[in-house]
Amino acid sequence: MDFITGETLYIDKPLGWTSFDAVKRVRSLLTRRMGVKKLKVGHAGTLDPLATGVIIVVTGRSTKLIESLQAGVKEYIATIALGATTPSFDLETEIDATYPTDHITRPMVEDTLKKFTGRIEQIPPAFSACKVDGKRAYEMARKGRDPELKPKILVIDEIELLDFSPTSITIRVVCSKGTYIRALARDIGAALNSGGHLTALRRTRVGDVTIDRCLPIDRIADVLAAVPIEYPDDFKR
């Protein structure tokens, strides 16, 4: 494989890792294997540390493809706790309010989910990398400030209810780039006259790359150690 001209790796990011952690791991393994000091390595589409699943890592000149790769449709499996909210809309922060859930039924959830399909507006989470006046929103939020984030237009192609209880639902979501599933959890909870926050998230597809095509991170070292390494004709060590 020619990692300087460019290769694409499909990785199943584990829980607790940042997307950049996966990039650093690949870069470290490749530079040692290839005997080089530097190598361009990037990823197409960030996953939060509390999420798992598909992350596309590209090397060398293929990093120019990042924008087109991350524009692909995404698919997620998300578990949402109902009846409670957190400032980050997930488990990064503690519960800040609780709400009733006795009124929530499966038909009510199914009808509510239909309202979130198609072209919708979504306000990003305060704990996000969106910029407000040149600063990251999460930097402001962690200092106790409330960043003013504007709604964004996005497209949700499908939402399917996979599992239901009055206090927790699991859904499959097919959506466009830029969709915050944490914000979707917040909005679904509010639409159910309750609260909601994300408790688990797995990305199962980016474009045509599905989770079954991805390597677990603990197999990357063995795979990269076994593949034959090629170099472009104009490469100088």
Side-chain angles (χ1 to χ4, degrees):
M1 299 180 77
D2 185 346
F3 292 100
I4 293 173
T5 298
E7 299 288 353
T8 304
L9 303 172
Y10 307 143
I11 294 174
D12 183 351
K13 188 190 82 65
L15 187 67
W17 283 51
T18 66
S19 299
F20 188 61
D21 287 337
V23 168
K24 286 195 297 183
R25 177 67 168 154
V26 170
R27 182 189 293 118
S28 175
L29 290 167
L30 284 175
T31 52
R32 286 202 302 267
R33 172 79 199 283
M34 297 169 64
V36 297
K37 292 183 177 180
K38 295 182 179 180
L39 178 68
K40 285 186 178 180
V41 183
H43 67 83
T46 301
L47 266 182
D48 290 339
L50 294 178
T52 67
V54 179
I55 182 169
I56 301 175
V57 174
V58 290
T59 75
R61 297 164 194 165
S62 288
T63 53
K64 296 177 181 179
L65 303 175
I66 284 177
E67 187 172 346
S68 61
L69 288 170
Q70 65 187 13
V73 169
K74 315 292 193 304
E75 180 182 72
Y76 297 91
I77 303 297
T79 300
I80 301 169
L82 301 175
T85 57
T86 71
S88 60
F89 312 149
D90 64 6
L91 296 177
E92 181 182 344
T93 53
E94 298 293 326
I95 289 172
D96 60 358
T98 58
Y99 303 85
T101 60
D102 292 345
H103 64 286
I104 299 175
T105 64
R106 188 182 188 101
M108 181 183 181
V109 172
E110 290 173 338
D111 287 342
T112 298
L113 294 181
K114 293 175 184 176
K115 300 174 183 177
F116 290 93
T117 57
R119 187 178 173 89
I120 68 169
E121 282 191 351
Q122 183 185 80
I123 299 175
F127 286 77
S128 70
C130 293
K131 286 191 174 182
V132 179
D133 297 329
K135 296 182 179 179
R136 297 292 184 185
Y138 66 79
E139 294 175 349
M140 301 170 68
R142 286 170 182 163
K143 292 178 180 177
R145 297 170 60 189
D146 188 14
E148 294 185 11
L149 293 161
K150 296 180 180 180
K152 293 186 176 183
I153 302 295
L154 52 90
V155 177
I156 296 182
D157 297 303
E158 299 177 50
I159 301 184
E160 178 186 5
L161 181 61
L162 301 179
D163 193 28
F164 166 81
S165 79
T167 58
S168 178
I169 60 172
T170 299
I171 58 175
R172 181 181 67 88
V173 183
V174 180
C175 56
S176 65
K177 172 189 173 182
T179 304
Y180 284 94
I181 305 299
R182 289 182 288 137
L184 184 62
R186 168 203 63 194
D187 295 341
I188 289 172
L192 291 169
N193 297 314
S194 185
H197 65 279
L198 195 66
T199 57
L201 182 65
R202 184 158 177 78
R203 186 156 69 190
T204 52
R205 178 163 64 95
V206 175
D208 61 356
V209 179
T210 51
I211 192 65
D212 58 299
R213 298 174 62 190
C214 296
L215 284 169
I217 201 74
D218 57 6
R219 285 195 56 209
I220 292 296
D222 291 339
V223 170
L224 294 182
V227 297
I229 300 293
E230 299 176 4
Y231 299 89
D233 294 338
D234 59 352
F235 176 69
K236 295 180 181 179
R237 296 198 192 190

